[in-house]
Amino acid sequence: MCGIVGIIGQRDAAPLLLDALKRLEYRGYDSAGLATVDAQGAMSRRRSAGKLRNLERRVETEPLVGGTGIGHTRWATHGAPNEANAHPHVAAPVAVVHNGIIENFRALRDRLAKSGATLTSETDSETIAHLMAQRLAAGEDVKTALLGTIGALEGAYALAFAFEGQPQLLAAARSGSPLAIGFGDDGVMIGSDAIALAPFCDKIIYLDDGDVAILTPTRVDIFDQSGTPVERPAVAVPVQISLAEKGNYRHFMAKEIHEQPEVIARTIGHYLDIGAATMRSDAVPIDFADYRRVSLTACGTAYYSGLVARHWFEHLARLPVDLDVASEFRYRAQNFPRDELSMFVSQSGETADTLASLRACRAAGQTIATIVNVPTSTMARETDIMLPTLAGPEIGVASTKAFTCQLATLAAVAIKAGLDRGTLDEASAREKIEALIEAPRLVADALHVEPQIERIAKIVAPARSALFIGRGPAYGIALEGALKLKELSYIHAEGYAAGELKHGPIALVDDSVPVVVVAPYDDLFAKTVSNMEEVAARGARIILITDARGADAAGEAAEETLVMPDAPSFIHPLVMTVPLQLLAYHAAITNGTDVDQPRNLAKSVTVE
Ligand code: HGA
């Protein structure tokens, strides 16, 4: 959340900064701003509320000169998303852009106000510019001032600074929120992630937590918290990152939904020897026989992958799973015994709560395994065992292909756990592996229901409220379906365990509430159908998502039935996810909402 860029180059910085910000807009898009410093040292700033294109227009009419500059695209945490709160914040001679939350900002604001500073925004971030400016005014050099400033901050930050009067200088710091420095033909750059820097840089350095950096055109000096110089390795920018384009699709989300057969296949190929239908022995370097239970922690969509995976681990490996959302788990983590296995799931590998949970488990002496889509991310670097999802860059804010790749990875890991623990014999493991190998083909088949879903989306789109129900592995999928619909179309949607409906939410049901029933033909099918009948009896408009056998056995209650390809029950969650993604997508199109950048949301949630 919040995208940060900076550059010291030969050409005008503004177009490059805007270009890099476009690649970061998925991290926040409620306002944006730039500050540049020209060759004489004069600083200018442009900021705009709303999307980045507003800033672009502003810069077209009021151009910015200067080869050095910083930029920001914001997802507001403190203060409304208006121009005054947009970054960069300036306290002469300092301009700063910030990603994160300064938790002690009230105390800092009070202190600054008492010392005569005039704060012009409601943000926590502006305090950083003033703290830095006061230290420089007191005669400190930039490095000392920066170390002193961050010493006063509590919370999380990635920071980039530019300085009036210093056209060849930028500074940066990170704690909690990610930050990278890149080197390219256009100069030296700062960026929140490799995606921002990919077109400009071949090599990047990731700052570690606590690092500060001083950048000039010819050198980058990095120091740890104590001011001691440190070296951080330069890594090549992953090539696939530069491929983050929409292609012929109208939205990134549509492209990402349709990419699923390919990226699931790629992910499965990492864990399974497809030809031999066996596990790749080195892909999951965990011996699950060593553990009596595991914890599984994630946020949002990734948490729902955990909900499905808990079912797999408990059924295939008889391994109890303590599943929690990371924002709760991080405050429980200290209660877990040493020598246990903690697993984390995150698309970006930067999710603040999940990262904090990971660190709490590490401090508690646990072994850490992380399922992550960005192999260069902080979580990927801090984990003991990295279990990659190979979904490629996911730009649409609502997660689609990352989710199904998380499911594919967790399915493979659960099979491994069953083998390790002797709860899954070779023949049963082979059956599961063969099922998983079928997933890309069946997901591709599932995409063929799109024309029918476009029509059904017109039933759902006008609704004020919708319910999604499922049981067993389909419960997590129902929750994910409800989350997708609310994220994209702003329709209130509740996901519920089908058996829970009668304990409350059934009170919501009338003929204005579509109820989406996720019921593949499995052991729990008949139970879910009973729950479907209960809502049908109360007038609900039912959309049943099932397969051919389910459609035959379901009776007449559903107004619409979406028939998914027949699939082995193990991979039902992967197949059943597709129509829910398409339903949310087409409901959003019908309602005219912004599919790739839904209101109030941002990707890569780097604040608590
Ligand atoms: N707290 C700052 C930055 C917000 C942020 O990093 N969001 O992800 C603000 O509200 O401007």
Side-chain angles (χ1 to χ4, degrees), residues 1-2 27 72 74-79 85 87 89 98-102 123-125 177 606-607:
M1 286 179 154
C2 285
R27 300 174 73 97
H72 190 263
R74 181 170 186 239
W75 185 84
T77 64
H78 291 62
N85 290 331
H87 303 215
H89 291 288
H98 168 219
N99 167 208
I101 290 177
I102 304 306
T123 64
D124 50 338
S125 314
S177 309
T606 54
V607 294

Side-chain angles (χ1 to χ4, degrees), residues 74-129:
R74 181 170 186 239
W75 185 84
T77 64
H78 291 62
N82 55 29
E83 187 175 328
N85 290 331
H87 303 215
H89 291 288
V90 172
V94 177
V96 69
V97 288
H98 168 219
N99 167 208
I101 290 177
I102 304 306
E103 289 169 358
N104 59 334
F105 82 104
R106 280 187 205 288
L108 293 175
R109 282 180 78 97
D110 291 348
R111 212 167 81 202
L112 285 162
K114 279 198 193 101
S115 66
T118 309
L119 288 112
T120 56
S121 80
E122 301 156 310
T123 64
D124 50 338
S125 314
E126 190 188 358
T127 57
I128 303 165

